[in-house]
Amino acid sequence: MYKIKLHKLFVGLFLLLFLTSCGSKKKVASHKNKEIKEVSSKRDDKNSSKRESAPRGSYANVVEEYVAEFYEIAQEEMRLYKIPASITLAQGILESGAGRGELTRRANNHFGIKCHDWEGDKVYHDDDRSQECFRKYNDPKYSYRDHSLFLSQRRRYADLFELDPDDYEAWAKGLRAAGYATDRLYPKKLIEIIERYNLDRFDSEVLGNTYKRDRREVAVQANGSNNYIVQKGDTLYSISKRNNISVEDLQKINNLSNNNISIGQELILK
């Protein structure tokens, strides 16, 4: 009888040890699976972020859209106040982040003009110092008008209006010399924006001059089909605008799967 009880006790202990062993193995396996899932999910996140990242040249598209929206306002300001439209647009692009800056989105302030003696609406925004006072406008066109008044009504900028209205380089350098910006590279930045996006063409339109687009002109081939050689600064959007064709049609005609183009690439326009 004692031997039978001892045998049963031994069998019970054996089963208990066996079950405990199995449970611990399952637990370890489960932990490993969890680790594998976590690693794979991190890889998936990394890959998905690559897929969802903005395509190269997307900022150029934003700038082109900004120009398309505001060039007529800049030209009107040029007619009234003799400030080159190219300069006004370049300043707007640079100082508003092509319309995407926080101050621009909150206050329609495209030129970062601070309150000074302003009696209109105001917003407070971190700039050189915390929570500085900036002018707020109901419509972006009033920001453009205020920019014109800001330059034309202050004596420190009087010398600018002695410059030729189609000399954007002199205007860009003159703005910094008059104290509009402390950044020594400010003129260079404006000039690069103007030349990259051909903003001086809007000056020529106002002045009635013939605008020379040099190599950016559409090359008409001997076979009668219109082709275009991609130049530095070009985007599908800018090419489509200049040639009265949609981006979608350009992609379709040229078998493009996205908006990526490269300098020297030949595009069929029709």
Side-chain angles (χ1 to χ4, degrees):
M1 190 71 168
Y2 175 76
K3 288 183 178 180
I4 292 172
K5 286 183 178 179
L6 186 63
H7 177 72
K8 286 182 178 180
L9 179 62
F10 177 77
V11 170
L13 287 172
F14 178 78
L15 288 173
L16 180 63
L17 287 172
F18 178 76
L19 291 172
T20 303
S21 172
C22 288
S24 63
K25 284 182 180 178
K26 285 181 181 178
K27 195 171 183 180
V28 171
S30 174
H31 181 66
K32 286 183 178 178
N33 287 338
K34 185 178 179 183
E35 287 182 340
I36 292 169
K37 285 180 181 177
E38 286 178 353
V39 171
S40 63
S41 66
K42 286 179 182 177
R43 287 175 181 167
D44 290 342
D45 289 343
K46 212 176 274 185
N47 291 334
S48 65
S49 65
K50 286 181 180 178
R51 286 194 298 271
E52 294 171 4
S53 61
R56 292 177 62 186
S58 61
Y59 180 71
N61 290 338
V62 171
V63 172
E64 291 287 354
E65 290 171 5
Y66 182 93
V67 171
E69 184 174 359
F70 294 109
Y71 80 89
E72 290 180 333
I73 296 175
Q75 286 184 314
E76 180 62 16
E77 295 304 305
M78 182 177 180
R79 293 185 185 97
L80 293 173
Y81 296 94
K82 312 305 178 187
I83 302 168
S86 59
I87 286 291
T88 301
L89 284 169
Q91 286 188 283
I93 291 166
L94 181 60
E95 294 173 31
S96 75
R100 299 188 305 178
E102 181 185 351
L103 180 63
T104 302
R105 288 184 284 108
R106 287 177 59 205
N108 284 318
N109 191 329
H110 286 243
F111 301 92
I113 299 179
K114 297 180 182 179
C115 288
H116 303 297
D117 300 324
W118 180 249
E119 295 181 358
D121 292 337
K122 305 169 184 177
V123 296
Y124 294 88
H125 177 75
D126 291 346
D127 192 53
D128 297 327
R129 295 185 298 275
S130 175
Q131 294 298 289
E132 292 192 74
C133 183
F134 286 86
R135 303 181 183 189
K136 181 179 180 181
Y137 308 94
N138 294 328
D139 190 287
K141 67 182 179 182
Y142 299 124
S143 176
Y144 272 74
R145 175 56 51 86
D146 210 20
H147 170 264
S148 298
L149 294 173
F150 187 85
L151 293 180
S152 62
Q153 293 181 353
R154 283 167 170 74
R155 292 181 59 186
R156 63 195 279 186
Y157 301 115
D159 289 344
L160 289 172
F161 295 88
E162 301 297 323
L163 301 171
D164 291 334
D166 61 349
D167 191 349
Y168 61 83
E169 290 189 17
W171 271 82
K173 294 172 183 176
L175 278 167
R176 201 229 168 212
Y180 188 93
T182 57
D183 182 2
R184 62 184 183 83
L185 296 178
Y186 190 76
K188 183 175 183 289
K189 291 175 182 178
L190 292 183
I191 292 168
E192 286 180 350
I193 291 172
I194 291 169
E195 294 181 347
R196 179 173 185 181
Y197 298 101
N198 300 318
L199 301 184
D200 54 325
R201 69 187 186 270
F202 301 117
D203 301 339
S204 296
E205 288 179 9
V206 172
L207 297 171
N209 298 336
T210 301
Y211 178 64
K212 297 179 180 179
R213 291 165 67 184
D214 301 323
R215 292 181 300 166
R216 286 179 170 82
E217 283 288 359
V218 175
V220 180
Q221 303 299 316
N223 61 9
S225 64
N226 290 338
N227 295 320
Y228 179 78
I229 306 300
V230 177
Q231 305 297 317
K232 183 179 179 180
D234 280 335
T235 65
L236 275 186
Y237 182 83
S238 66
I239 295 170
S240 70
K241 281 289 184 183
R242 290 202 297 268
N243 295 282
N244 297 318
I245 183 173
S246 70
V247 171
E248 291 76 16
D249 285 343
L250 270 178
Q251 290 174 324
K252 186 176 181 181
I253 294 171
N254 293 277
N255 296 319
L256 301 175
S257 59
N258 51 45
N259 290 344
N260 293 338
I261 53 177
S262 56
I263 297 173
Q265 181 177 350
E266 184 172 350
L267 296 177
I268 301 170
L269 301 177
K270 290 185 180 180

